[in-house]
Amino acid sequence: MAAHTATSFTDKVLVSDEVAEFSPEVIDEMKAHVAKYPAERSRSALIPLLFVVQRERGGWLDNPGVNFLAKFLNLEVTDVWETATFYSMFNLRPVGRHHIQICKTLSCKIMGEPEITDHICTKLGIHPGETTEDGKFTVTMVECLGSCGTAPMMQIGFDYHEDLTTEKVDKILEACK
Amino acid sequence: MEIKAIGCEPLQLKLMHVKDGHTLKVYKDHGGYKALEKAFKMAPADVIEEVKTSALRGRGGAGFPTGMKWSFVPKETPKQKYVVCNADESEPGTFKDRYLMERDPHALIEGMIIAGWALGANTGFIYTRGEYKYLIDIMDVAIAEAREAGLIGKNILGSGLDFELYTHTGAGAYICGEETALLSSLEGYRGHPRMKPPFPAVEGVYASPTVVNNVETLTAVPQIINMGGTAWRDLGTEKSGGTKLWSVSGHVKKPGVYELPMGYADMEKFIMEDCGGMLRGDKKLKAVIPGGSSVYIMNAGQVIGKKVTMDYEGLVAGGSSVGSGGFIVMDETVDVMESTKNLTEFYKHESCGWCTPCREGTDWLVKIFNRISEGGGRPEDAQLMLDICDNIEGKSFCPLGDAAAWPIQSAIRQFPEDFKKWLVDKAQTSGVTANV
């Protein structure tokens, strides 16, 4: 599957030694995360910090961002990648400004997910796993997001949108700038 | 969506419909943090004893007796001890912890401080799935409020207990709901489960004694301390104490989160009356998965007229189990093989890849499902899938493997006609002649 979809991690990923820079405010935010854990266990902050880096680097984890974290937490670059590649919320390639994640698991599936997915993909002219040419939207199919009682649902960025109908989806997409 | 208690006073759901129930003030107005004061007057060992008496069992899915889990933590140890809340709620069909954290975050905080007192732990982490970021924000605000009020920090309420509490985020991995995988993730590693023993109670996070409890388990603790273990247990049955939240989704008129006393009589009544009956009146009940996707699927014949009792023993007798209490109700429009394929794709995606039976087994199961879907079904496929399940079940490193096998085993057992029909129909629509 991965080989011929745009979600493949092996294409177009540029490897570089460049190290990203962040503003003092962002560094403070990162330090606040690190402060939660015992001093010798700062690796515990890795996942929260990967989210910060992903947000600051335009929605995905690029090499410079990961290189920064390795230095910041005194880890090997491979340690950071090891963790980053495990979790589905870390984007290893660029995504659109609005990352639409449609829940495809059972309760959503039987409550109308296929219709919602078709509607969104037709409207945007892309398949799941792809990004619109203008870089505005990416559609990803994801596993259960814990909104089964309000199925079907999707998450755009971190925002939950539940009890979806095609009309509701239209309004939500229109509101995306 | 409904959020209400049936057959009992709302305990877990007490503040669900109270304005600003998430704030410290309203929580206190409704008797909040009284249990903490009471617990501080008890010896830690007596708090554990009270939880044992209550017959509270872990609400995350495994149903392990909570008091016993707590008692495994060594009393005398030079190490720091930890309380970790498992808020990784990712079991398909389960969405109860979400509402507890959203609308009653202080109940969780109070439960965790009491656990800290009982166990002699000074630090707590709330490990929340990454997708629930809005809940982490809510918890952070509530924790800050509690800290401001002197309920978190040094020498809480003059008890001598120092307790710090932090939120921690996951990043999209079902496996991190397994407690040892959660601890790996909390340490910043891939979410791989760890060998047991040593159990987390002895060597958990940072190789220190750790108790990992589900949100609903911890929010039950203040209730138990308030009313006493015996009174709380008596709300339910002798072996399954208290009340339980059930997340209901699928083809019912009133999906939602329901609080029922353990031992609630009759699952059929629950679906057909309490949840408003079938979503489409003309469609009959076909299947129910009562405990989140990782339990045996039940066919209508196992539910209708069978008076299945909703507690640990009752559901096992009825042919399934409580699990996380995630009810997925399906009417006759659902092809059970399609639904099982959907869940198998879930387990394949979520298998952490650590052990071979689960990683390879779930992959092969999906491949076979896909082949049948494309019309290439073979008469021996049912047996082939059962054989693969047999090679996963009990042979994987952690229970995710078992959870992947059970839906398929039970679907083939309870819906043999669906499976047969599936093989034939898929073959016919693709123009291949099936030989079933």
Side-chain angles (χ1 to χ4, degrees), chain B residues 57-353:
Chain B
R57 295 170 62 166
R59 300 294 196 233
F64 191 82
T66 306
M68 200 186 291
K69 199 179 203 178
W70 286 15
S71 67
F72 293 156
V73 173
K75 307 268 172 308
E76 301 298 328
T77 168
K79 289 179 180 174
Q80 160 86 288
K81 297 180 210 172
Y82 292 91
V83 178
V84 176
C85 171
N86 182 346
D88 193 56
E89 187 165 68
S90 309
E91 178 78 15
T94 314
F95 48 95
K96 61 191 174 65
D97 297 340
R98 224 185 118 179
Y99 293 96
L100 291 176
M101 292 168 80
E102 179 185 314
R103 302 186 188 184
D104 197 3
H106 283 284
L108 176 57
I109 295 173
E110 187 176 8
M112 289 188 76
I113 306 171
I114 295 173
W117 172 250
L119 303 164
N122 301 112
T123 308
F125 289 108
I126 303 173
Y127 182 103
T128 310
R129 67 179 298 183
E131 293 89 341
Y132 283 176
K133 180 172 183 304
Y134 80 103
L135 293 178
I136 299 176
D137 296 342
I138 290 172
M139 289 307 311
D140 278 337
V141 171
I143 290 170
E145 263 189 314
R147 187 172 287 129
E148 184 82 4
L151 294 161
I152 291 174
K154 301 267 179 215
N155 189 18
I156 299 166
L157 305 178
S159 64
L161 176 73
D162 298 343
F163 191 77
E164 274 303 329
L165 183 57
Y166 304 104
T167 54
H168 182 92
T169 180
Y174 168 71
I175 186 63
C176 293
E178 194 284 329
E179 62 178 5
T180 61
L182 183 152
L183 297 173
S184 299
S185 182
L186 180 54
E187 293 181 4
Y189 293 88
R190 296 166 80 89
H192 290 310
R194 300 173 178 179
M195 182 68 90
K196 292 194 269 194
F199 287 90
V202 180
E203 278 187 32
V205 70
Y206 312 138
S208 298
T210 305
V211 157
V212 184
N213 285 143
N214 174 257
V215 177
E216 189 191 344
T217 310
L218 287 163
T219 55
V221 170
Q223 302 160 17
I224 291 166
I225 298 302
N226 268 331
M227 61 170 54
T230 311
W232 193 85
R233 182 195 64 207
D234 290 347
L235 294 169
T237 66
E238 197 187 330
K239 284 185 183 160
S240 308
T243 63
K244 165 93 192 89
L245 296 181
W246 301 86
S247 320
V248 183
S249 65
H251 295 140
V252 288
K253 281 207 179 70
K254 294 192 263 182
V257 178
Y258 294 89
E259 180 170 12
L260 306 181
M262 276 291 188
Y264 186 81
D266 206 355
M267 187 167 152
E268 180 187 357
K269 175 181 173 291
F270 179 59
I271 296 169
M272 293 307 175
E273 293 174 26
D274 303 328
C275 298
M278 301 308 289
L279 179 65
R280 294 167 284 219
D282 59 331
K283 299 283 186 270
K284 287 208 271 298
L285 176 72
K286 180 165 180 177
V288 182
I289 301 174
S293 62
S294 305
V295 303
Y296 291 150
I297 189 170
M298 301 167 80
N299 63 30
Q302 292 173 286
V303 177
I304 308 284
K306 287 289 180 344
K307 301 253 180 262
V308 178
T309 310
M310 290 171 66
D311 59 20
Y312 292 97
E313 295 74 30
L315 272 167
V316 169
S320 190
S321 47
V322 167
S324 62
F327 251 71
I328 307 174
V329 179
M330 291 175 263
D331 71 19
E332 57 189 336
T333 61
V334 174
D335 180 328
V336 170
M337 284 305 131
E338 288 289 347
S339 72
T340 309
K341 174 170 179 276
N342 179 281
L343 293 180
T344 308
E345 288 166 356
F346 171 84
Y347 289 108
K348 180 203 154 168
H349 185 264
E350 300 300 339
S351 174
C352 77

Side-chain angles (χ1 to χ4, degrees), chain A residues 71-84:
Chain A
K71 280 202 160 55
F72 190 75
L73 291 175
N74 200 18
L75 297 169
E76 296 298 330
V77 171
T78 47
D79 290 335
V80 181
W81 280 122
E82 176 192 317
T83 296

Side-chain angles (χ1 to χ4, degrees), chain A residues 22-79:
Chain A
F22 298 94
S23 69
E25 292 77 32
V26 173
I27 300 288
D28 285 347
E29 182 187 352
M30 290 186 183
K31 284 181 180 163
H33 280 296
V34 175
K36 293 178 178 180
Y37 311 97
E40 70 285 10
R41 301 289 186 175
S42 59
R43 182 171 176 152
S44 273
L46 183 51
I47 290 173
L49 294 193
L50 282 164
F51 274 116
V52 176
V53 168
Q54 175 160 291
R55 186 192 73 211
E56 294 295 317
R57 300 296 290 177
W60 68 295
L61 294 175
D62 59 356
N63 261 81
V66 166
N67 293 342
F68 169 87
L69 271 189
K71 280 202 160 55
F72 190 75
L73 291 175
N74 200 18
L75 297 169
E76 296 298 330
V77 171
T78 47
D79 290 335

